[in-house]
Amino acid sequence: PVSGPLGTGRGGDRPGENEKGVYEVGENPVIEVLVPESVTSGRLWVSILDVSGNVYHLLPNVNRPENDIARLRAGRSGTVPVRVAYALDEREDDPRKLAFLVDDTTLGMSKVVVIHTEGPLFDEMRPTTESAAGYADALLTRIEDGGSPISSMDTRILETVQAN
């Protein structure tokens, strides 16, 4: 299975891991997914389902459509980190990289969802942001149509809170 510190990556303005996955207003979550050594093929799908009922597709998305695991590995063996949310200064160098600051409009617990499939999960690229209902309907339709089965799925909680 695809696993790792989902939603608990470094804050863009502080070093080290944020093991609890709790971010205060104004902080910049940096999210990495760890692809285990045993996962060398298939596709990676990473989304955040937030407390307002929105789904944000971190990988793939219109700015970063590549989600083929062999290409994401780029010849690297072992456990490979795949960055899906960046520090703000990294985004300045490449505007295709997704980066965000926690604001006070969606405080609470969001779920980072990572799905590994052997083939495409959807027939076409999902929008960068959509409703949870729209995403659930698309998944259900894909399952009913006999789409590529899910090989593994992992989730983590990312909590946003008011600064002390």
Side-chain angles (χ1 to χ4, degrees), residues 21-101:
V22 177
Y23 293 91
E24 294 181 352
V25 170
E27 289 189 312
N28 169 210
V30 173
I31 302 171
E32 290 183 336
V33 174
L34 299 179
V35 179
E37 181 175 13
S38 61
V39 178
T40 58
S41 65
R43 308 220 179 193
L44 190 62
W45 310 84
V46 184
S47 302
I48 296 179
L49 289 74
D50 80 3
V51 297
S52 69
N54 289 315
V55 177
Y56 299 91
H57 299 291
L58 304 180
L59 186 73
N61 62 57
V62 294
N63 289 322
R64 188 175 178 194
E66 186 58 65
N67 70 335
D68 179 88
I69 290 175
R71 290 190 180 137
L72 293 171
R73 283 185 160 280
R76 298 173 290 175
S77 60
T79 298
V80 173
V82 176
R83 177 85 44 102
V84 294
Y86 294 83
L88 292 175
D89 61 348
E90 290 177 285
R91 188 177 195 288
E92 288 176 9
D93 297 335
D94 184 351
R96 294 174 299 159
K97 294 178 177 178
L98 292 176
F100 63 96
L101 286 176

Coordinates of all heavy atoms in Angstrom, one line a residue, residues 21-101:
G21 N -0.1 16.6 12.5 CA -0.8 17.1 11.4 C -1.8 18.3 11.7 O -2.8 18.4 11.1
V22 N -1.4 19.1 12.8 CA -2.2 20.2 13.2 C -1.5 21.5 12.7 O -0.3 21.7 13.0 CB -2.4 20.2 14.7 CG1 -3.1 21.5 15.2 CG2 -3.1 19.0 15.2
Y23 N -2.2 22.3 12.0 CA -1.7 23.6 11.5 C -2.5 24.7 11.9 O -3.8 24.7 11.9 CB -1.6 23.5 9.9 CG -0.7 22.5 9.4 CD1 -1.0 21.2 9.2 CD2 0.7 22.9 9.3 CE1 -0.1 20.3 8.8 CE2 1.6 21.9 8.8 CZ 1.2 20.7 8.6 OH 2.1 19.7 8.2
E24 N -1.9 25.8 12.3 CA -2.6 27.0 12.8 C -2.8 28.0 11.6 O -2.1 27.9 10.6 CB -1.7 27.8 13.8 CG -1.6 27.0 15.1 CD -0.8 27.7 16.1 OE1 -0.2 28.8 15.8 OE2 -0.8 27.2 17.3
V25 N -3.8 28.9 11.7 CA -4.0 29.9 10.7 C -2.7 30.6 10.4 O -2.0 30.9 11.3 CB -5.1 30.9 11.2 CG1 -5.2 32.1 10.3 CG2 -6.5 30.2 11.3
G26 N -2.4 30.8 9.1 CA -1.2 31.4 8.7 C -0.1 30.5 8.4 O 0.9 30.9 7.8
E27 N -0.2 29.2 8.8 CA 0.9 28.2 8.5 C 0.7 27.7 7.1 O -0.4 27.7 6.5 CB 0.9 27.1 9.5 CG 1.4 27.6 10.9 CD 1.7 26.5 11.8 OE1 0.8 25.6 12.0 OE2 2.7 26.5 12.5
N28 N 1.8 27.1 6.6 CA 1.8 26.6 5.2 C 2.2 25.1 5.2 O 3.3 24.7 5.3 CB 2.9 27.4 4.5 CG 3.3 26.8 3.1 OD1 4.5 27.0 2.7 ND2 2.4 26.2 2.4
P29 N 1.1 24.2 5.2 CA 1.4 22.8 5.2 C 2.2 22.3 3.9 O 1.8 22.8 2.8 CB 0.0 22.2 5.2 CG -0.9 23.2 5.7 CD -0.3 24.5 5.2
V30 N 3.1 21.5 4.2 CA 3.9 20.9 3.1 C 3.5 19.4 3.2 O 3.8 18.8 4.3 CB 5.4 21.1 3.2 CG1 6.1 20.3 2.1 CG2 5.7 22.6 3.0
I31 N 3.0 18.8 2.1 CA 2.5 17.4 2.2 C 3.3 16.5 1.3 O 3.4 16.9 0.1 CB 1.0 17.3 1.9 CG1 0.2 18.2 2.9 CG2 0.5 15.9 2.0 CD1 -1.2 18.4 2.5
E32 N 3.8 15.4 1.8 CA 4.5 14.4 1.0 C 3.8 13.1 1.2 O 3.4 12.8 2.3 CB 6.0 14.3 1.3 CG 6.8 15.5 0.9 CD 8.3 15.4 1.2 OE1 8.6 14.6 2.1 OE2 9.1 16.0 0.6
V33 N 3.8 12.3 0.1 CA 3.3 10.9 0.2 C 4.5 10.0 0.0 O 5.3 10.3 -0.9 CB 2.2 10.7 -0.9 CG1 1.8 9.2 -1.0 CG2 1.0 11.6 -0.7
L34 N 4.6 9.0 0.8 CA 5.7 8.1 0.7 C 5.2 6.9 -0.1 O 4.3 6.2 0.3 CB 6.2 7.6 2.0 CG 6.8 8.8 2.9 CD1 7.2 8.2 4.2 CD2 7.9 9.5 2.2
V35 N 5.9 6.6 -1.3 CA 5.6 5.5 -2.1 C 6.6 4.4 -1.7 O 7.8 4.5 -1.8 CB 5.8 5.8 -3.6 CG1 5.5 4.5 -4.4 CG2 4.8 6.9 -4.0
P36 N 6.1 3.3 -1.1 CA 7.0 2.2 -0.6 C 7.8 1.6 -1.7 O 7.4 1.6 -2.9 CB 6.0 1.2 0.0 CG 4.8 1.9 0.2 CD 4.7 2.9 -0.8
E37 N 8.9 1.0 -1.4 CA 9.8 0.3 -2.3 C 9.0 -0.7 -3.2 O 9.3 -0.9 -4.4 CB 10.9 -0.4 -1.6 CG 11.9 -1.1 -2.4 CD 13.1 -1.7 -1.6 OE1 13.0 -1.7 -0.4 OE2 14.1 -2.0 -2.3
S38 N 8.1 -1.4 -2.6 CA 7.3 -2.5 -3.3 C 6.4 -1.9 -4.4 O 5.9 -2.7 -5.2 CB 6.6 -3.4 -2.3 OG 5.6 -2.6 -1.6
V39 N 6.1 -0.6 -4.3 CA 5.1 -0.1 -5.3 C 5.9 0.6 -6.4 O 6.5 1.7 -6.2 CB 4.1 0.9 -4.6 CG1 3.2 1.6 -5.6 CG2 3.4 0.3 -3.5
T40 N 5.9 0.0 -7.6 CA 6.7 0.5 -8.7 C 5.9 0.8 -9.9 O 6.4 1.3 -10.9 CB 7.8 -0.5 -9.1 OG1 7.2 -1.8 -9.4 CG2 8.8 -0.7 -7.9
S41 N 4.6 0.4 -9.9 CA 3.8 0.6 -11.1 C 2.4 1.2 -10.7 O 2.1 1.2 -9.5 CB 3.6 -0.7 -11.9 OG 2.9 -1.6 -11.1
G42 N 1.6 1.6 -11.6 CA 0.3 2.1 -11.3 C 0.3 3.6 -11.3 O 1.1 4.3 -11.8
R43 N -0.8 4.1 -10.7 CA -1.1 5.5 -10.6 C -1.4 5.9 -9.2 O -1.9 5.2 -8.4 CB -2.2 5.9 -11.5 CG -2.0 5.3 -12.9 CD -2.4 6.2 -13.9 NE -2.2 5.6 -15.2 CZ -2.2 6.3 -16.3 NH1 -2.5 7.6 -16.3 NH2 -2.0 5.8 -17.5
L44 N -1.0 7.2 -8.9 CA -1.2 7.7 -7.6 C -2.2 8.9 -7.7 O -2.1 9.7 -8.5 CB 0.1 8.3 -7.1 CG 0.2 8.7 -5.6 CD1 0.0 7.5 -4.7 CD2 1.6 9.3 -5.4
W45 N -3.2 8.9 -6.8 CA -4.3 9.9 -6.7 C -4.3 10.4 -5.3 O -4.5 9.7 -4.4 CB -5.6 9.2 -7.0 CG -5.6 8.4 -8.3 CD1 -5.2 7.1 -8.4 CD2 -5.9 8.9 -9.6 NE1 -5.3 6.7 -9.7 CE2 -5.7 7.8 -10.5 CE3 -6.4 10.1 -10.1 CZ2 -6.0 7.9 -11.8 CZ3 -6.7 10.1 -11.5 CH2 -6.5 9.0 -12.3
V46 N -4.1 11.7 -5.1 CA -4.1 12.4 -3.8 C -5.0 13.5 -3.8 O -5.0 14.4 -4.6 CB -2.6 12.9 -3.5 CG1 -2.6 13.4 -2.0 CG2 -1.6 11.7 -3.6
S47 N -5.9 13.5 -2.8 CA -6.9 14.6 -2.6 C -7.1 14.9 -1.2 O -6.8 14.1 -0.3 CB -8.3 14.1 -3.2 OG -8.2 13.8 -4.6
I48 N -7.6 16.1 -0.9 CA -8.0 16.5 0.4 C -9.5 16.8 0.4 O -10.0 17.6 -0.4 CB -7.2 17.8 0.8 CG1 -5.7 17.6 0.9 CG2 -7.8 18.3 2.2 CD1 -4.9 18.8 1.3
L49 N -10.2 16.2 1.4 CA -11.6 16.4 1.6 C -11.7 17.3 2.8 O -11.3 16.9 3.9 CB -12.3 15.1 1.8 CG -12.5 14.2 0.6 CD1 -11.2 13.5 0.2 CD2 -13.6 13.2 0.9
D50 N -12.1 18.6 2.6 CA -12.1 19.5 3.7 C -13.5 19.6 4.4 O -14.4 19.0 4.0 CB -11.5 20.9 3.3 CG -12.6 21.8 2.6 OD1 -13.7 21.4 2.4 OD2 -12.2 22.9 2.2
V51 N -13.5 20.4 5.5 CA -14.6 20.4 6.4 C -15.8 21.2 5.7 O -16.9 21.0 6.2 CB -14.3 21.1 7.7 CG1 -13.3 20.3 8.5 CG2 -13.8 22.5 7.5
S52 N -15.6 21.9 4.6 CA -16.6 22.6 4.0 C -17.3 21.8 2.9 O -18.3 22.2 2.3 CB -16.1 23.9 3.3 OG -15.3 23.6 2.2
G53 N -16.9 20.6 2.7 CA -17.5 19.7 1.7 C -16.8 19.8 0.3 O -17.4 19.3 -0.7
N54 N -15.6 20.4 0.3 CA -14.9 20.5 -1.0 C -13.8 19.4 -1.1 O -13.3 19.0 0.0 CB -14.3 21.9 -1.2 CG -15.3 22.9 -1.4 OD1 -16.2 22.7 -2.2 ND2 -15.2 24.0 -0.7
V55 N -13.5 19.0 -2.3 CA -12.4 18.1 -2.5 C -11.4 18.9 -3.4 O -11.7 19.5 -4.4 CB -12.9 16.8 -3.3 CG1 -11.7 15.9 -3.6 CG2 -13.9 16.1 -2.5
Y56 N -10.1 18.8 -3.0 CA -9.0 19.5 -3.7 C -8.1 18.4 -4.2 O -7.6 17.6 -3.4 CB -8.2 20.4 -2.8 CG -9.1 21.6 -2.3 CD1 -9.8 21.4 -1.1 CD2 -9.3 22.7 -3.0 CE1 -10.6 22.4 -0.6 CE2 -10.1 23.7 -2.5 CZ -10.7 23.6 -1.3 OH -11.6 24.6 -0.9
H57 N -7.9 18.3 -5.5 CA -7.1 17.2 -6.1 C -5.7 17.7 -6.2 O -5.4 18.6 -7.0 CB -7.7 16.8 -7.4 CG -9.1 16.3 -7.4 ND1 -9.3 15.1 -6.8 CD2 -10.3 16.8 -7.7 CE1 -10.6 14.9 -6.8 NE2 -11.2 15.9 -7.4
L58 N -4.8 17.1 -5.4 CA -3.4 17.5 -5.3 C -2.6 16.8 -6.4 O -1.6 17.4 -7.0 CB -2.8 17.2 -4.0 CG -3.5 17.9 -2.8 CD1 -2.8 17.5 -1.5 CD2 -3.6 19.4 -2.9
L59 N -3.0 15.6 -6.7 CA -2.3 14.8 -7.8 C -3.3 13.7 -8.3 O -3.8 13.0 -7.5 CB -1.1 14.1 -7.2 CG -0.2 13.4 -8.2 CD1 0.6 14.4 -9.1 CD2 0.8 12.5 -7.5
P60 N -3.5 13.7 -9.6 CA -3.1 14.6 -10.6 C -4.0 15.8 -10.5 O -5.1 15.8 -9.9 CB -3.3 13.9 -11.9 CG -4.5 12.9 -11.6 CD -4.3 12.5 -10.1
N61 N -3.6 16.9 -11.2 CA -4.5 18.1 -11.4 C -4.0 18.7 -12.7 O -3.1 18.3 -13.4 CB -4.4 19.0 -10.2 CG -3.0 19.6 -10.0 OD1 -2.4 20.2 -10.8 ND2 -2.5 19.3 -8.8
V62 N -4.8 19.8 -13.1 CA -4.5 20.4 -14.4 C -3.1 20.9 -14.5 O -2.5 21.0 -15.6 CB -5.5 21.5 -14.7 CG1 -6.9 20.9 -14.9 CG2 -5.6 22.6 -13.7
N63 N -2.5 21.4 -13.4 CA -1.1 21.9 -13.4 C -0.1 20.8 -13.3 O 1.1 21.0 -13.6 CB -0.9 22.9 -12.3 CG -1.6 24.2 -12.6 OD1 -1.7 24.6 -13.8 ND2 -2.2 24.8 -11.6
R64 N -0.5 19.6 -12.8 CA 0.5 18.5 -12.6 C -0.3 17.2 -12.9 O -0.7 16.5 -12.1 CB 0.9 18.5 -11.2 CG 2.0 17.5 -10.9 CD 2.5 17.6 -9.5 NE 3.6 16.6 -9.2 CZ 4.0 16.3 -8.0 NH1 3.5 16.9 -7.0 NH2 4.9 15.4 -7.9
P65 N -0.4 16.9 -14.2 CA -1.2 15.8 -14.6 C -0.5 14.4 -14.5 O -1.2 13.4 -14.5 CB -1.5 16.0 -16.1 CG -0.4 16.9 -16.6 CD 0.0 17.7 -15.4
E66 N 0.8 14.4 -14.3 CA 1.5 13.2 -14.2 C 1.3 12.5 -12.9 O 1.7 13.0 -11.9 CB 3.0 13.4 -14.5 CG 3.8 12.1 -14.6 CD 3.3 11.2 -15.7 OE1 3.4 11.6 -16.8 OE2 2.8 10.1 -15.4
N67 N 0.7 11.3 -12.9 CA 0.6 10.5 -11.7 C 1.0 9.1 -11.9 O 0.7 8.2 -11.0 CB -0.9 10.6 -11.2 CG -1.9 9.9 -12.1 OD1 -1.6 9.7 -13.3 ND2 -3.0 9.5 -11.5
D68 N 1.7 8.8 -12.9 CA 2.3 7.4 -13.2 C 3.4 7.2 -12.2 O 4.4 8.0 -12.1 CB 2.8 7.3 -14.6 CG 3.3 5.9 -14.9 OD1 2.6 5.0 -15.3 OD2 4.6 5.8 -14.7
I69 N 3.3 6.2 -11.4 CA 4.3 5.9 -10.3 C 5.7 5.7 -10.8 O 6.7 6.3 -10.3 CB 3.8 4.8 -9.4 CG1 2.6 5.2 -8.6 CG2 5.0 4.3 -8.5 CD1 2.0 4.2 -7.7
A70 N 5.9 5.0 -11.9 CA 7.2 4.8 -12.5 C 7.8 6.2 -12.9 O 9.0 6.4 -12.6 CB 7.1 3.9 -13.7
R71 N 7.0 7.1 -13.4 CA 7.6 8.4 -13.8 C 7.8 9.2 -12.5 O 8.8 10.0 -12.5 CB 6.6 9.1 -14.7 CG 6.6 8.4 -16.1 CD 5.9 9.2 -17.1 NE 5.9 8.6 -18.4 CZ 4.9 8.5 -19.2 NH1 3.7 9.0 -18.9 NH2 5.0 7.8 -20.3
L72 N 6.9 9.1 -11.5 CA 7.2 9.9 -10.3 C 8.4 9.4 -9.6 O 9.1 10.2 -8.9 CB 5.9 9.7 -9.4 CG 4.6 10.4 -9.9 CD1 3.5 10.0 -9.0 CD2 4.8 11.9 -9.9
R73 N 8.7 8.1 -9.7 CA 9.9 7.5 -9.1 C 11.2 8.1 -9.8 O 12.2 8.2 -9.2 CB 9.9 6.0 -9.2 CG 9.0 5.4 -8.1 CD 9.2 3.8 -8.2 NE 8.7 3.3 -6.9 CZ 9.4 3.2 -5.8 NH1 10.7 3.7 -5.8 NH2 8.9 2.7 -4.7
A74 N 11.1 8.3 -11.1 CA 12.2 8.8 -11.9 C 13.5 8.0 -11.7 O 14.5 8.5 -11.5 CB 12.4 10.3 -11.6
G75 N 13.3 6.7 -11.7 CA 14.5 5.8 -11.6 C 14.9 5.5 -10.2 O 15.9 4.8 -10.0
R76 N 14.3 6.2 -9.2 CA 14.8 6.0 -7.8 C 14.2 4.7 -7.2 O 13.0 4.4 -7.5 CB 14.3 7.2 -7.0 CG 14.9 8.5 -7.4 CD 14.3 9.7 -6.6 NE 12.9 9.9 -7.1 CZ 12.1 10.8 -6.6 NH1 12.5 11.5 -5.6 NH2 10.9 10.9 -7.1
S77 N 15.0 4.0 -6.5 CA 14.5 2.8 -5.8 C 14.3 3.1 -4.3 O 14.5 4.2 -3.8 CB 15.5 1.7 -5.9 OG 16.8 2.1 -5.4
G78 N 13.8 2.1 -3.6 CA 13.5 2.3 -2.2 C 12.2 3.1 -2.0 O 11.4 3.3 -2.9
T79 N 12.0 3.6 -0.8 CA 10.8 4.4 -0.5 C 11.0 5.8 -1.1 O 12.1 6.4 -0.9 CB 10.6 4.5 1.0 OG1 10.3 3.2 1.5 CG2 9.4 5.4 1.3
V80 N 10.1 6.3 -1.9 CA 10.3 7.6 -2.6 C 9.2 8.6 -2.1 O 8.0 8.3 -2.2 CB 10.1 7.4 -4.1 CG1 10.1 8.7 -4.8 CG2 11.2 6.5 -4.6
P81 N 9.6 9.7 -1.6 CA 8.7 10.8 -1.3 C 8.2 11.5 -2.5 O 8.9 11.8 -3.4 CB 9.4 11.7 -0.4 CG 10.9 11.6 -0.8 CD 11.0 10.1 -1.3
V82 N 6.9 11.7 -2.6 CA 6.3 12.5 -3.7 C 5.6 13.7 -3.1 O 4.6 13.6 -2.3 CB 5.2 11.7 -4.5 CG1 4.6 12.5 -5.5 CG2 5.9 10.4 -5.1
R83 N 6.1 14.9 -3.3 CA 5.6 16.1 -2.8 C 4.3 16.5 -3.5 O 4.3 16.5 -4.7 CB 6.6 17.2 -2.9 CG 6.2 18.6 -2.5 CD 6.4 18.9 -1.0 NE 7.6 18.4 -0.4 CZ 8.7 19.2 -0.1 NH1 8.6 20.5 -0.4 NH2 9.7 18.7 0.5
V84 N 3.2 16.8 -2.8 CA 1.9 17.1 -3.4 C 1.4 18.5 -3.0 O 0.6 19.1 -3.6 CB 0.9 16.1 -3.2 CG1 1.2 14.7 -3.9 CG2 0.6 15.8 -1.7
A85 N 2.0 19.1 -1.9 CA 1.7 20.4 -1.5 C 3.1 21.0 -1.0 O 3.8 20.4 -0.3 CB 0.7 20.5 -0.4
Y86 N 3.3 22.2 -1.5 CA 4.7 22.8 -1.4 C 4.7 24.0 -0.5 O 3.7 24.6 -0.2 CB 5.2 23.3 -2.8 CG 5.4 22.1 -3.7 CD1 4.3 21.5 -4.4 CD2 6.6 21.6 -3.9 CE1 4.5 20.5 -5.3 CE2 6.9 20.5 -4.8 CZ 5.8 20.0 -5.5 OH 6.0 18.9 -6.3
A87 N 5.9 24.4 -0.1 CA 6.2 25.6 0.7 C 5.9 26.8 -0.3 O 6.1 26.6 -1.5 CB 7.6 25.6 1.2
L88 N 5.5 27.9 0.2 CA 5.2 29.1 -0.6 C 6.4 29.5 -1.4 O 6.2 29.9 -2.6 CB 4.7 30.2 0.3 CG 3.3 30.0 0.9 CD1 3.0 31.2 1.8 CD2 2.2 29.8 -0.1
D89 N 7.6 29.5 -0.9 CA 8.8 29.9 -1.7 C 9.1 29.0 -2.8 O 9.6 29.4 -3.8 CB 10.0 30.1 -0.8 CG 10.4 28.9 0.0 OD1 9.7 27.9 0.0 OD2 11.6 28.9 0.5
E90 N 8.7 27.7 -2.7 CA 8.9 26.7 -3.8 C 7.9 27.1 -4.9 O 8.2 26.9 -6.1 CB 8.7 25.3 -3.4 CG 9.7 24.8 -2.4 CD 9.4 23.4 -2.0 OE1 8.6 23.2 -1.1 OE2 10.1 22.4 -2.5
R91 N 6.7 27.5 -4.6 CA 5.7 27.8 -5.6 C 6.1 29.1 -6.3 O 5.8 29.2 -7.5 CB 4.3 28.1 -4.9 CG 3.2 28.3 -5.9 CD 1.9 28.5 -5.3 NE 0.8 28.3 -6.2 CZ 0.5 29.2 -7.2 NH1 1.2 30.2 -7.3 NH2 -0.5 28.9 -7.9
E92 N 6.8 30.0 -5.7 CA 7.3 31.2 -6.4 C 8.2 30.8 -7.5 O 8.2 31.5 -8.6 CB 8.1 32.1 -5.4 CG 7.2 32.8 -4.4 CD 8.0 33.6 -3.4 OE1 9.2 33.8 -3.6 OE2 7.3 34.1 -2.4
D93 N 9.0 29.7 -7.4 CA 9.9 29.3 -8.4 C 9.2 28.5 -9.5 O 9.7 28.4 -10.7 CB 11.0 28.3 -7.8 CG 11.9 29.1 -6.8 OD1 12.0 30.3 -6.9 OD2 12.4 28.4 -5.9
D94 N 8.0 28.0 -9.2 CA 7.2 27.2 -10.2 C 5.8 27.3 -9.9 O 5.3 26.6 -9.0 CB 7.7 25.7 -10.2 CG 7.0 24.9 -11.2 OD1 6.1 25.4 -11.9 OD2 7.4 23.7 -11.4
P95 N 5.0 28.2 -10.5 CA 3.6 28.4 -10.2 C 2.7 27.2 -10.4 O 1.6 27.2 -10.0 CB 3.2 29.5 -11.1 CG 4.3 29.7 -12.1 CD 5.5 29.0 -11.6
R96 N 3.2 26.1 -11.0 CA 2.4 24.9 -11.2 C 2.3 24.1 -9.9 O 1.5 23.2 -9.7 CB 3.0 24.0 -12.3 CG 2.9 24.6 -13.7 CD 3.6 23.8 -14.7 NE 5.0 23.7 -14.3 CZ 5.9 22.8 -14.7 NH1 5.5 21.9 -15.5 NH2 7.1 22.8 -14.3
K97 N 3.2 24.4 -8.9 CA 3.2 23.7 -7.7 C 2.1 24.2 -6.8 O 2.0 25.5 -6.6 CB 4.6 23.8 -7.0 CG 5.7 23.1 -7.8 CD 7.0 23.3 -7.1 CE 8.1 22.5 -7.8 NZ 9.4 22.7 -7.2
L98 N 1.3 23.4 -6.2 CA 0.3 23.8 -5.3 C 0.9 24.1 -3.9 O 1.6 23.3 -3.3 CB -0.8 22.7 -5.1 CG -1.6 22.4 -6.3 CD1 -2.5 21.2 -6.0 CD2 -2.4 23.6 -6.8
A99 N 0.5 25.3 -3.4 CA 0.9 25.7 -2.0 C -0.3 26.5 -1.4 O -1.0 27.2 -2.2 CB 2.2 26.6 -2.1
F100 N -0.4 26.4 -0.1 CA -1.5 27.2 0.5 C -1.2 27.5 1.9 O -0.3 26.9 2.6 CB -2.8 26.4 0.4 CG -2.8 25.1 1.2 CD1 -3.3 25.0 2.5 CD2 -2.3 23.9 0.6 CE1 -3.3 23.8 3.1 CE2 -2.4 22.7 1.3 CZ -2.9 22.6 2.6
L101 N -1.9 28.6 2.4 CA -1.8 29.0 3.8 C -3.1 28.6 4.4 O -4.2 28.7 3.8 CB -1.6 30.5 3.9 CG -0.2 31.0 3.6 CD1 -0.3 32.6 3.7 CD2 0.8 30.5 4.5

